[in-house]
Amino acid sequence: MTTARRDTYTPQTLLEVAVRVFNERGYDGTSMEHLSKAAGISKSSIYHHVAGKEELLRRAVNRALDGLFAVLSEEHARVGRAVDRLEYVTRRTVEVLVDELPYVTLLLRVRGNTDTERWAMERRRDFDHQVAALLKEAAADGDLRSDVELRLATRLLFGMINSVVEWYRPDSRGAADGAEIADAVVRLAFAGLRTDG
Amino acid sequence: MTTARRDTYTPQTLLEVAVRVFNERGYDGTSMEHLSKAAGISKSSIYHHVAGKEELLRRAVNRALDGLFAVLSEEHARVGRAVDRLEYVTRRTVEVLVDELPYVTLLLRVRGNTDTERWAMERRRDFDHQVAALLKEAAADGDLRSDVELRLATRLLFGMINSVVEWYRPDSRGAADGAEIADAVVRLAFAGLRTDG
């Protein structure tokens, strides 16, 4: 039997432990037993805080989604030329992704086996569609290159943005911060790798 | 008991089934029992073809890695200005990724729990290092923008390329082919989304 430590968790600190375990083992592969061991408190103590692991998942992906959707309501995402709004949203999305790294990582790995997962995927698609609409508008303004099909461009832009969760480790030596990474993504995505000269 | 069908597999057709199951369940989550069920033949029939699931993994990732390394020995990857060789390698890498989609998908998802997985990760890192060296050379030639740190640029270029395995579905209606996707990746990565005008 594991020695249970005194339950000093708040909903937030318990969520942090759960998200770490979900990301390590996969949500499907995590049992209440795993959570109890990782937190060092009994299962009944966990049930004192939440109804079950699905509630932890819901809170976690909500945090990621709220962060992403908040970007879309910021002034620079709403006012101005579509291509500039798109650049702004790209930059801020990367910043949210870095700030909320474990939560967005979990969101991007969700597979759709439970109601909460399907709901999260639905909201994520909704976010993606709003960004895709911005690309479409920018293309209609003639501000995006016309020799790359729009759906492909959208996929590749998200591919570049979302790849950050795969390799960014904030604790590694000399790690860039969110603003630096956001800046690099915006430069590469909008102006490309090659120098003009 | 499952009705075993007659074993008409060749090493290659058995490999195709195994790779599909590995990608669906994860390599760690796949047992010989799962492979036997998916192939519709008994476990002993599978052992007639291969020593075990690790041999199937080794063959699968080898196929992906051989395809990727072959790109580096092609003439346009060896001769010419570094930035042009980099563009060529980017294009051909995407093409290999699309042609060998299930095999490269498996390679990119390998986690390092067995010798074969660690060896695959090692070879993949070796490939990445060779491409990173090309970026470095192109930057030294002054052909890459200097305001994005080189390691970040390398990560983001691979992020864009590798994202293809996450969303490309060759069977979906109106799906682009490998050359079209490769073209889009090269244009966006090297020249960016924005029109100059």
Side-chain angles (χ1 to χ4, degrees), chain A residues 83-84 87 142-145 147-148 152-153 155-156 159-160 163 167 184-185 187-195, chain B residues 83-84 87 142-145 147-148 152-153 155-156 159-160 163 167 184-185 187-195:
Chain A
V83 70
D84 298 325
E87 252 197 49
D143 289 334
L144 294 189
R145 50 189 308 142
D147 54 356
V148 173
L152 264 182
R155 296 284 204 181
L156 291 170
M160 195 191 256
S163 78
W167 53 261
V185 171
R187 286 179 196 199
L188 292 199
F190 289 86
L193 270 171
R194 255 188 205 265
T195 48
Chain B
V83 71
D84 297 326
E87 253 197 49
D143 289 333
L144 294 190
R145 50 189 309 138
D147 55 357
V148 172
L152 265 181
R155 296 283 205 182
L156 291 170
M160 194 190 257
S163 80
W167 52 263
V185 172
R187 284 177 198 202
L188 293 198
F190 289 86
L193 270 169
R194 256 187 205 267
T195 49

Side-chain angles (χ1 to χ4, degrees), chain A residues 81-118:
Chain A
R81 217 171 158 79
V83 70
D84 298 325
R85 284 183 282 140
L86 178 65
E87 252 197 49
Y88 180 81
V89 168
T90 300
R91 178 184 304 278
R92 292 284 297 123
T93 298
V94 175
E95 284 172 0
V96 168
L97 199 150
V98 167
D99 286 349
E100 306 286 353
L101 193 64
Y103 302 93
V104 183
T105 302
L106 183 61
L107 175 68
L108 294 176
R109 290 189 187 163
V110 146
R111 309 296 278 180
N113 292 323
T114 61
D115 281 346
T116 302
E117 289 171 274
R118 284 187 288 273

Side-chain angles (χ1 to χ4, degrees), chain A residues 142-178:
Chain A
D143 289 334
L144 294 189
R145 50 189 308 142
S146 54
D147 54 356
V148 173
E149 201 252 327
L150 219 66
R151 267 184 317 175
L152 264 182
T154 311
R155 296 284 204 181
L156 291 170
L157 178 61
F158 275 115
M160 195 191 256
I161 294 173
N162 293 343
S163 78
V164 174
V165 306
E166 299 302 329
W167 53 261
Y168 183 59
R169 296 295 167 266
D171 304 327
S172 71
R173 205 163 47 85
D177 64 20

